[in-house]
Amino acid sequence: MNWPSHGSNPQYLYKAMGQSLPVDYTDFSANINPLGPPSSLKEKWPEFYQEIFVYPDPHAIKLKKIIAQKERIPDQSILIGNGGAELISLIARMLTGKRVLLIQPTFSEYENACKANNCDVVYHQLREPDFELNLDELHKKIEIADTLFLCNPNNPTGIQYPSSTIISLIKKCEQQNCLVILDEAFFDFLEEYDSFIPYINTCSNLIIIRSMTKMFTIPGIRLGYLVAQPAIVKRLNSLQAHWSINTLALLAGELCLQDESFIQLTREYICDERKRLFTFFKQYGFVVSSSKVNFYLLKDPLLDDQFPLFEFLLNKAVIPRHTVNFPGLEGKWLRFAIKGREENTALMEVLADWHNHH
């Protein structure tokens, strides 16, 4: 099947499929908060206008202080980035020429950034449908790696790995002098979460990446941060371009991170919608990954290659994310974000239609 390349810009996807973008469509391919940005951001936005006349604070002192107080770490352990993507790029530059271990399927940006910096990339493949980490196999591969990238909860499966497993990996990597990059871009969607940030106080081999674009629906602004021991932060900071974080991003971040009630409301909303969707999928015979966040993998078990379902959905103006460029998935699953109640209901109606006619 001729799968098109795919990101979060649906006009390119439809063009590659030889179709025009429908006037009304629902994009399930971008994993951002269906509730949109916090209302406080819209209220304050006009006030931000006057701030664009001055240069941003290159040290992001206010935003760092908020994160430092929230996470109980020193300011020197925090680096603010232009979204998670910039932080991944900086880490990859620091790793130039090193051997990097990736746990597949995972976010493709790790491999792209590492290969651009001449890293030797090796893989540990998870097996569907449970996508469980096999620690015995993984430990052997850690012994020959300089760095391990671990996405938790994982993109694209949405699966949260047990805390004991993560701790075991951090400790094993520490023994082997292997750096651990723990990407927590979706941690704040989890109902139950044990923070790994306290481990940076004792582990000089741990970097934790966090995105602010997903929870607060600000992908157009680009904002994220990482946490590590001050020596690592200092090294990464020296590789960062000047003025990479703009004033609007800093102001938005300061506002959003203080809105605890918004984060809690989002978690409850996503949990309710996920339960409703998964009950429907089970009833209609679709298979889904055991996601704990705001997106999940889905497949019709009667199809090995999900292209016919993908095409059917696009014709109905429903846009999922295909998985052809996720090693180990190769189009055998589709990824969907959890959207608003109405959009999720519309998705269920379209999938019921597919089920009834196939």
Side-chain angles (χ1 to χ4, degrees):
M1 292 291 184
N2 185 25
W3 292 91
S5 60
H6 188 29
S8 57
N9 295 100
Q11 67 273 27
Y12 300 122
L13 176 65
Y14 274 88
K15 187 178 178 185
M17 293 286 285
Q19 300 177 29
S20 2
L21 183 68
V23 177
D24 293 312
Y25 61 85
T26 311
D27 188 358
F28 287 88
S29 72
N31 303 334
I32 55 174
N33 190 336
L35 300 183
S39 56
S40 56
L41 190 57
K42 190 172 184 179
E43 287 159 20
K44 290 275 188 183
W45 194 255
E47 292 177 32
F48 292 175
Y49 178 74
Q50 63 194 25
E51 300 295 333
I52 67 173
F53 298 104
V54 292
Y55 279 91
D57 173 7
H59 306 294
I61 285 169
K62 279 189 188 172
L63 184 55
K64 279 186 189 172
K65 281 214 178 310
I66 292 166
I67 296 166
Q69 284 169 2
K70 212 175 165 74
E71 302 298 340
R72 297 176 187 168
I73 48 172
D75 299 18
Q76 295 85 355
S77 287
I78 302 162
L79 181 67
I80 309 298
N82 188 301
E86 187 200 23
L87 297 168
I88 292 164
S89 293
L90 292 175
I91 291 166
R93 283 182 67 191
M94 183 178 77
L95 298 174
T96 298
K98 301 278 189 185
R99 176 170 285 182
V100 174
L101 174 59
L102 300 182
I103 296 173
Q104 300 282 24
T106 197
F107 187 42
S108 59
E109 202 66 38
Y110 311 143
E111 181 163 12
N112 296 342
C114 289
K115 284 193 169 172
N117 288 279
N118 300 313
C119 294
D120 176 19
V121 180
V122 292
Y123 309 96
H124 174 73
Q125 187 68 54
L126 303 182
R127 297 179 184 92
E128 58 175 335
D130 298 325
F131 302 103
E132 288 175 355
L133 290 167
N134 181 321
L135 285 183
D136 291 338
E137 280 181 35
L138 198 47
H139 282 175
K140 287 173 193 162
K141 290 177 181 173
I142 285 168
E143 288 170 10
I144 58 157
D146 298 308
T147 304
L148 168 69
F149 272 86
L150 179 63
C151 187
N152 184 52
N154 190 32
N155 179 11
T157 63
I159 289 170
Q160 177 185 17
Y161 302 122
S163 294
S164 56
T165 301
I166 305 282
I167 293 161
S168 160
L169 285 174
I170 292 170
K171 290 185 174 169
K172 174 69 178 176
C173 287
E174 195 173 25
Q175 289 166 11
Q176 298 295 326
N177 199 24
C178 177
L179 188 65
V180 179
I181 316 299
L182 182 59
D183 186 348
E184 295 191 329
F186 298 95
F187 89 100
D188 37 9
F189 288 94
L190 293 168
E191 290 169 89
E192 292 179 21
Y193 167 74
D194 297 320
S195 178
F196 299 101
I197 283 183
Y199 286 88
I200 67 151
N201 296 319
T202 52
C203 300
S204 59
N205 70 316
L206 179 62
I207 299 175
I208 298 174
I209 302 174
R210 288 182 171 175
S211 166
M212 283 186 254
T213 61
K214 317 295 187 195
M215 171 58 73
F216 302 112
T217 329
I218 52 170
I221 290 180
R222 315 300 309 139
L223 190 63
Y225 64 93
L226 65 73
V227 175
Q229 287 199 353
I232 296 176
V233 169
K234 194 173 179 184
R235 193 172 163 199
L236 289 168
N237 189 32
S238 71
L239 300 171
Q240 192 172 33
H242 293 302
W243 314 116
S244 75
I245 323 298
N246 69 72
T247 300
L248 295 176
L250 292 173
L251 291 168
E254 289 161 24
L255 200 61
C256 289
L257 280 179
Q258 295 176 85
D259 201 335
E260 290 286 350
S261 60
F262 176 80
I263 298 168
Q264 189 53 39
L265 177 72
T266 297
R267 281 189 195 130
E268 289 166 8
Y269 187 90
I270 293 291
C271 179
D272 290 346
E273 284 300 292
R274 190 173 57 242
K275 282 178 184 168
R276 192 167 74 92
L277 284 159
F278 282 24
T279 301
F280 166 85
F281 297 146
K282 190 175 180 183
Q283 183 186 344
Y284 277 80
F286 292 99
V287 177
V288 288
S289 60
S290 52
S291 170
K292 296 283 188 252
V293 285
N294 61 319
F295 57 90
Y296 52 90
L297 292 179
L298 173 143
K299 70 175 175 179
D300 180 338
L302 302 178
L303 297 173
D304 187 43
D305 185 324
Q306 300 295 309
F307 189 85
L309 175 56
F310 180 69
E311 195 171 34
F312 174 83
L313 291 166
L314 291 186
N315 289 334
K316 297 280 187 180
V318 169
I319 305 171
R321 173 72 160 87
H322 73 59
T323 59
V324 170
N325 54 345
F326 287 102
L329 300 184
E330 282 105 17
K332 294 194 289 274
W333 299 76
L334 299 175
R335 193 190 70 191
F336 293 81
I338 294 174
K339 303 282 284 183
R341 188 171 179 84
E342 280 182 33
E343 291 101 326
N344 294 331
T345 299
L347 172 64
M348 288 190 276
E349 287 168 1
V350 171
L351 287 173
D353 187 23
W354 164 269
H355 176 268
N356 294 335
H357 292 91
H358 293 79

